């Protein structure tokens, strides 16, 4: 599992850069991604040999628009095995 | 190039009533499509191919298409005529842990094998909007010769959206919401354009699309803002292409398609994802590639198919795998309208139809 100190760092980063998600506790998941053979084959790419492990911190929050429509906002921070950020993604 | 136009006669008749005018419009369309070998079939009726007719079921309809292909030859382009109640969307397992139980997708209709992420043929849909006039209109669209684009993004995604919009216009021309709201939105912004780009919030239950600045979510675009719009629409809004139990009154996608000079709509059926800043990923990357191909002169159908293939390649090169939201992006983006529309961007004459 990922280092708790690293998680704390990321939570601070998200609070700083995305204040709307401040104080939201992320759901942390670990996912082992198996080699996606069929996709690589279909795209005529050499297939990867290894399983890849990624971690995801998912921040969810319900917000209300000006016309009182409720929207679920989702922010996902994807990390590699070393805890480095691969990408930060938001729901549209 | 072969084009199969497919519908369900019983379901279409139930939605629309008399089909004679629609069939006439389709036959005229086929005659005009001289570059394509085109046929119009009902999956629930016998045809010259002697393929067994099927019931309204996604798996059966998909098999029907594959069986037709065995008899007729490679189907390069598939046009589904009708909405979910006529040719249902596939309900695929959602790779993401979000508010969608299933992902509504047309990808399986575009695939020959069981890997639905990567399309192998062009696939588009003409929704029915419960109106024969609406359907007929989609076969009789005339585009203008304008060359300009319009784009609007939620303020928080300005940098990310500029990276997409530069494919079709000057980044400094991209509008943001706020300050733009549906009250200040000018109808003229959508008129005499070639491309219309939207990177806004969307909702399953609301007719509107929303901007964002910090905790403010103003209405950026409402259906009533759309009047005499023209061009091709690409939207990254969540549920931008969600049309179940909707009409042009409460779905912006259908509202756009109801315009005589809007000749296509590309959007997401479910919750979509994108980056907060460049580099482009998820929906931003897919739409960016889509614009690139349309600009090169490919049809809009070919452009979306190629964009999905390039998207997958790019992500695999970048990170070695397609993660949950990458997979969802590939499944959820659909194309509405005539897939053989082509914007002759490179020609001085401007946008034109085949």
């Amino acid at each position: 599992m990922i280092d708790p100190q690293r998680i704390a760092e990321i939570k601070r980063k998200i609070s700083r850069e995305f204040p709307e998600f401040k104080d939201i506790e992320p759901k942390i998941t670990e996912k082992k991604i198996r080699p996606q053979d069929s996709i690589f084959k279909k795209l005529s790419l050499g297939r990867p040999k290894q399983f890849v492990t990624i971690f995801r911190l998912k921040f969810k929050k319900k917000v209300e628009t000006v016309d009182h429509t409720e929207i679920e906002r989702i922010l996902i921070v994807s990390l590699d095995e070393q805890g480095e950020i691969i990408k930060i993604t938001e729901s549209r | 190039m072969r084009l199969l136009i497919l519908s369900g006669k019983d379901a279409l008749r139930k939605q629309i009533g008399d089909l004679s005018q629609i069939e006439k419009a389709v036959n005229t369309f086929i005659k005009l499509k001289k570059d394509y070998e085109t046929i119009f079939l009902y999956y629930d009726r016998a045809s010259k191919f002697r393929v067994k007719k099927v019931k309204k079921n996604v798996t059966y309809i998909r098999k029907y298409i594959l069986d037709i292909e065995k008899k007729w030859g490679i189907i390069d382009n598939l046009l589904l005529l009708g909405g979910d109640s006529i040719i249902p969307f596939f309900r695929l397992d959602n790779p993401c842990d979000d508010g969608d139980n299933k992902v509504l997708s047309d990808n399986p209709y575009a695939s020959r094998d069981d890997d639905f992420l990567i399309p192998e043929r062009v696939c588009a849909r003409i929704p029915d909007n419960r109106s024969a006039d609406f359907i007929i209109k989609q076969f009789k669209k005339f585009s203008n010769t304008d060359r300009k684009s319009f784009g609007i993004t939620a303020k928080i995604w300005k940098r990310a959206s500029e990276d997409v919009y530069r494919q079709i216009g000057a980044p400094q021309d991209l509008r943001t919401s706020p300050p733009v709201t549906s009250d200040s939105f000018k109808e003229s912004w959508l008129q005499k354009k070639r491309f219309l780009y939207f990177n806004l919030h969307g909702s399953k239950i609301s007719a509107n699309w929303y901007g964002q600045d910090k905790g403010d979510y103003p209405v950026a675009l409402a259906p009533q803002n759309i009047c005499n719009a023209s061009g091709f629409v690409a939207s990254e809004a969540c549920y931008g292409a969600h049309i179940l139990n909707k009409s042009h009154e409460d779905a912006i996608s259908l509202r756009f398609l109801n315009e005589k000079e809007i000749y296509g709509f590309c959007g997401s059926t479910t919750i979509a994802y994108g980056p907060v800043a460049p580099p482009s990923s998820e929906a931003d990357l897919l739409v960016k590639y889509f614009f690139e191909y349309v600009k090169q002169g490919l049809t809009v159908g070919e452009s979306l198919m190629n964009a999905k293939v390039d998207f997958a390649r790019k992500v695999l090169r970048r990170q070695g795998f397609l993660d949950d939201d990458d997979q969802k992006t590939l499944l959820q983006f659909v194309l509405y309208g005539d897939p053989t529309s082509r914007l002759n961007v490179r020609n001085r004459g401007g946008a034109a139809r085949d």
Side-chain angles (χ1 to χ4, degrees):
Chain A
M1 198 57 189
I2 197 159
D3 179 9
Q5 197 176 333
R6 179 62 181 142
I7 291 171
E9 278 173 22
I10 290 166
K11 283 162 71 175
R12 281 198 295 275
K13 177 184 169 69
I14 295 303
S15 295
R16 199 170 55 244
E17 295 178 14
F18 306 91
E20 59 179 304
F21 290 101
K22 190 178 177 183
D23 301 326
I24 301 289
E25 198 55 37
K27 181 181 174 185
I28 302 166
T29 54
E30 177 180 346
K31 187 164 187 178
K32 290 194 190 304
I33 299 174
R34 65 176 63 224
Q36 295 168 329
D37 293 346
S38 62
I39 299 168
F40 276 76
K41 189 177 173 189
K42 206 163 176 179
L43 293 172
S44 304
L45 298 172
R47 77 181 185 92
K49 297 178 177 65
Q50 296 174 329
F51 276 77
V52 177
T53 301
I54 61 167
F55 300 95
R56 310 192 102 196
L57 276 67
K58 189 168 284 188
F59 299 77
K60 282 187 182 181
K61 184 186 181 184
K62 287 198 170 146
V63 299
E64 195 174 278
T65 63
V66 71
D67 63 352
H68 309 295
T69 299
E70 196 175 76
I71 294 178
E72 185 173 56
R73 301 279 294 112
I74 302 168
L75 186 142
I76 304 164
V77 184
S78 301
L79 309 170
D80 63 17
E81 275 180 282
Q82 286 71 46
E84 293 301 316
I85 295 175
I86 301 171
K87 62 180 185 180
I88 301 177
T89 305
E90 272 194 304
S91 59
R92 286 331 197 200
Chain B
M1 297 278 274
R2 292 191 184 89
L3 167 63
L4 169 62
I5 303 172
L6 184 68
S7 193
K9 192 159 193 172
D10 290 341
L12 189 60
R13 188 182 276 150
K14 194 174 172 186
Q15 285 290 93
I16 307 295
D18 178 33
L19 302 181
S20 59
Q21 292 304 308
I22 290 175
E23 290 174 347
K24 191 177 167 189
V26 172
N27 287 328
T28 303
F29 174 83
I30 289 171
K31 281 178 192 162
L32 291 172
K33 285 282 160 196
K34 294 188 183 349
D35 293 344
Y36 292 84
E37 187 184 343
T38 308
I39 52 168
F40 176 37
L41 298 176
Y42 290 113
Y43 59 76
D44 55 350
R45 292 291 185 276
S47 74
K48 65 179 181 180
F49 296 107
R50 294 184 182 180
V51 168
K52 193 179 174 188
K53 61 185 182 180
V54 296
K55 290 181 178 172
K56 190 179 74 177
N57 169 292
V58 287
T59 307
Y60 296 161
I61 295 171
R62 182 171 182 270
K63 185 174 182 308
Y64 178 87
I65 294 164
L66 295 171
D67 287 346
I68 291 290
E69 191 168 64
K70 280 178 196 163
K71 297 277 180 78
W72 188 32
I74 295 291
I75 298 169
D76 312 281
N77 297 270
L78 174 64
L79 175 56
L80 309 173
L81 181 53
D84 186 61
S85 59
I86 294 159
I87 300 192
F89 291 99
F90 272 75
R91 270 78 170 163
L92 302 177
D93 289 341
N94 182 4
C96 294
D97 170 27
D98 57 28
D100 296 319
N101 289 329
K102 296 283 180 181
V103 182
L104 271 59
S105 179
D106 282 336
N107 264 32
Y109 294 123
S111 301
R112 295 188 176 92
D113 62 16
D114 291 337
D115 187 329
F116 301 151
L117 292 172
I118 313 295
E120 291 159 287
R121 70 165 70 87
V122 166
C123 180
R125 176 186 290 270
I126 289 182
D128 55 88
N129 196 32
R130 296 190 175 186
S131 160
D133 288 345
F134 179 91
I135 294 173
I136 292 166
K137 195 182 285 182
Q138 308 311 313
F139 289 107
K140 294 182 173 177
K141 296 235 169 168
F142 295 97
S143 62
N144 58 43
T145 56
D146 292 292
R147 302 171 62 83
K148 290 183 177 174
S149 297
F150 169 81
I152 183 168
T153 177
K155 190 179 175 186
I156 51 157
W157 302 322
K158 187 170 186 289
R159 282 182 54 225
S161 300
E162 283 174 349
D163 217 32
V164 179
Y165 190 70
R166 72 176 73 250
Q167 297 297 326
I168 54 168
Q172 63 268 25
D173 293 340
L174 183 68
R175 293 182 187 273
T176 64
S177 176
V180 173
T181 66
S182 61
D183 290 336
S184 64
F185 201 104
K186 291 184 171 58
E187 290 173 357
S188 60
W189 292 346
L190 303 177
Q191 297 167 354
K192 297 181 178 176
K193 297 294 186 297
R194 177 173 291 158
F195 294 109
L196 302 173
Y197 169 61
F198 300 89
N199 196 0
L200 299 166
H201 287 292
S203 159
K204 198 175 187 175
I205 55 170
S206 170
N208 303 323
W209 291 346
Y210 303 89
Q212 186 192 349
D213 182 22
K214 298 176 182 146
D216 295 333
Y217 295 84
V219 176
L221 183 73
Q224 55 268 31
N225 292 125
I226 300 162
C227 183
N228 295 324
S230 69
F232 188 93
V233 184
S235 170
E236 297 182 33
C238 291
Y239 302 106
H242 179 77
I243 55 169
L244 268 61
N245 303 315
K246 300 229 177 206
S247 74
H248 67 284
E249 300 290 337
D250 57 0
I252 285 176
S253 58
L254 297 176
R255 182 71 163 225
F256 269 124
L257 289 167
N258 203 37
E259 298 283 310
K260 67 179 179 184
E261 288 187 0
I262 292 288
Y263 35 95
F265 182 99
C266 177
S268 167
T269 59
T270 43
I271 294 171
Y273 295 89
V276 292
S280 298
S281 61
E282 296 90 26
D284 284 31
L285 185 61
L286 186 69
V287 171
K288 188 176 174 178
Y289 283 154
F290 173 76
F291 283 146
E292 278 185 15
Y293 277 112
V294 175
K295 274 171 56 186
Q296 286 174 27
L298 272 67
T299 67
V300 292
E302 290 164 343
S303 296
L304 182 60
M305 182 182 74
N306 288 356
K308 287 186 177 184
V309 171
D310 282 7
F311 173 94
R313 285 179 184 274
K314 174 77 173 183
V315 174
L316 290 171
R317 276 200 302 270
R318 187 188 278 173
Q319 62 192 30
F321 55 88
L322 298 174
D323 67 18
D324 299 352
D325 33 276
D326 298 324
Q327 293 183 27
K328 191 176 184 190
T329 301
L330 286 165
L331 297 174
Q332 70 189 167
F333 270 81
V334 294
L335 179 64
Y336 296 150
D338 170 11
T340 65
S341 290
R342 199 187 299 271
L343 287 78
N344 292 334
V345 178
R346 288 178 301 180
N347 298 339
R348 191 164 173 74
R353 296 289 298 273
D354 280 334

